[in-house]
Amino acid sequence: MRLDPFYPILQSSGWMRRLVPRGVRLVQLRIKSEDVGAVRKEIAESLEICRQHDCLLIVNDHWRLAIELGCEAVHLGQEDLDGADLEAIAEAGIGIGVSTHSPDELDRALSVRPHYVALGPIYPTVLKKMPWAPQGLERIAKWKSRTGALPLVAIGGLNPERARAALEHGADIVSVVTDITLNPKPERRLEKWLEITRPYRKRSNT
């Protein structure tokens, strides 16, 4: 599974259409909805956009639809692992990324042989209320000592400057949501992220 040091998370195919053509190589579609038909449509449209622009689409949570639509990768939180059919996902040739927030969660994530592990939140985040304290930059180095060659994603409260620091502390990939989508000039902010992360591309490919 080809990864990239820059890993934005977007909430719709509209955002995909707006940002992916500008140089994004790795992106997650995160839709929190119970409307299966609407989610299927969003995934299908996002997948088409990403294929047109040589970008890897990772689908958050909706692993059944990812299998149905022929996606390459899914991202699962710890709670998602409880209900996911990991054997079916593997048989479909779909890569898996897993969120972690504690040593126990890291142990569990590593046990399912993921294609990457995410650590967060590195800094306080406005996206949602987190039950975990910010991990900080030093935790990145500790996690990386455990993951070894397995790519490590840093997420939570990042901006371009913090992202550079996370990469220097051992993260292979940095993920972002609100710093781009809530910015008054998202496209310009995207360019800044691409500028910051581009020098790290060789290190994150797998």
Side-chain angles (χ1 to χ4, degrees):
M1 188 166 75
R2 188 196 71 190
L3 299 176
D4 189 83
F6 176 50
Y7 183 16
I9 297 175
L10 304 177
Q11 295 82 28
S12 70
S13 59
W15 274 111
M16 296 282 176
R17 193 171 293 108
R18 186 172 175 179
L19 298 181
V20 166
R22 294 177 171 269
V24 176
R25 294 186 176 183
L26 173 68
V27 69
Q28 182 184 132
L29 178 65
R30 179 189 285 172
I31 302 176
K32 300 299 182 181
S33 172
E34 299 301 321
D35 186 336
V36 176
V39 174
R40 180 185 288 109
K41 182 175 183 291
E42 286 291 300
I43 294 175
E45 291 181 0
S46 297
L47 185 58
E48 182 178 358
I49 294 164
C50 287
R51 285 175 172 168
Q52 289 173 354
H53 296 280
D54 194 26
C55 176
L56 174 63
L57 175 68
I58 298 179
V59 175
N60 182 274
D61 188 14
H62 298 284
W63 58 270
R64 292 181 182 86
L65 290 175
I67 293 174
E68 174 189 327
L69 295 170
C71 297
E72 293 183 49
V74 295
H75 182 89
L76 301 175
Q78 292 286 318
E79 64 281 359
D80 301 321
L81 287 174
D82 295 332
D85 187 337
L86 300 178
E87 184 174 341
I89 294 171
E91 287 178 354
I94 292 177
I96 298 177
V98 181
S99 296
T100 67
H101 312 87
S102 69
D104 288 344
E105 289 187 354
L106 178 58
D107 289 340
R108 187 186 188 199
L110 294 176
S111 74
V112 305
R113 297 186 176 183
H115 288 74
Y116 71 81
V117 168
L119 169 66
I122 305 303
Y123 292 94
T125 175
V126 300
L127 182 62
K128 57 184 177 179
K129 187 175 181 179
M130 293 283 192
W132 308 278
Q135 304 281 356
L137 293 173
E138 298 307 319
R139 183 67 64 88
I140 295 173
K142 292 180 181 179
W143 247 237
K144 189 58 185 173
S145 70
R146 291 282 313 280
T147 62
L150 184 70
L152 176 63
V153 178
I155 184 171
L158 297 181
N159 56 35
E161 294 72 27
R162 288 174 171 179
R164 181 188 280 127
L167 290 164
E168 289 302 314
H169 277 76
D172 300 287
I173 300 166
V174 286
S175 191
V176 57
V177 187
T178 58
D179 189 71
I180 292 175
T181 58
L182 293 185
N183 192 281
K185 296 181 178 180
E187 288 84 1
R188 183 174 297 179
R189 194 61 168 173
L190 174 70
E191 290 299 322
K192 184 64 175 179
W193 276 90
L194 289 169
E195 177 188 337
I196 290 292
T197 56
R198 193 172 290 114
Y200 298 88
R201 274 186 169 162
K202 288 184 179 179
R203 196 172 79 182
S204 67
N205 285 334
T206 185

